[in-house]
């Protein structure tokens, strides 16, 4: 997996999860992909929802955590780590 800032594929996933089409996702729409704690940490305005930019920021943060060699890709070994699993949950 390769991630670029503002990644179009990740943006499409966000739009797919935004089932009520209000330009935000809730814990319910994320269906367990983020814990309440992680959702709160990624929600700087504390409104209980994530905008597309907030969601992309979380994905980017998790990508960086899962990519310790900073080569810009997640290989199989990195995907099997705890950080890799956390990233992949957001991308399913």
């Amino acid at each position: 997996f390769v991630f670029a800032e503002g990644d179009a594929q990740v943006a499409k996933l966000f739009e797919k999860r935004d089932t009520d089409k209000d330009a935000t996702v809730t814990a319910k729409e994320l269906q367990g992909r983020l814990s309440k704690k992680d959702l709160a940490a990624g929600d700087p305005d504390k409104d209980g929802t994530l905008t597309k930019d907030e969601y992309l920021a979380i994905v980017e943060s998790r990508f960086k955590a899962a990519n310790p060699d900073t080569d810009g890709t997640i290989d199989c070994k990195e995907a099997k780590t705890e950080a890799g699993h956390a990233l992949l949950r957001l991308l399913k």
Side-chain angles (χ1 to χ4, degrees):
F1 176 77
V2 179
F3 177 77
E5 190 171 328
D7 189 277
Q9 293 293 350
V10 177
K12 285 182 184 180
L13 282 173
F14 174 89
E15 290 166 10
K16 181 179 175 183
R17 291 194 183 106
D18 179 18
T19 56
D20 61 5
K21 305 300 179 203
D22 67 350
T24 65
V25 290
T26 62
K28 182 178 179 181
E29 288 171 313
L30 289 170
Q31 300 175 334
R33 289 180 174 91
L34 276 179
S35 70
K36 287 182 182 187
K37 179 182 174 185
D38 290 336
L39 182 104
D43 180 20
D45 57 5
K46 307 297 180 209
D47 66 354
T49 67
L50 297 175
T51 64
K52 188 184 297 184
D53 288 341
E54 291 167 343
Y55 182 80
L56 288 171
I58 292 170
V59 172
E60 183 175 6
S61 174
R62 288 197 173 184
F63 182 88
K64 287 178 181 178
N67 185 231
D69 62 7
T70 65
D71 68 352
T73 63
I74 302 297
D75 60 31
C76 289
K77 182 179 175 185
E78 291 167 332
K80 292 178 182 178
T81 65
E82 185 176 332
H85 287 287
L87 171 65
L88 294 176
R89 271 194 305 277
L90 288 177
L91 302 176
K92 292 197 249 180

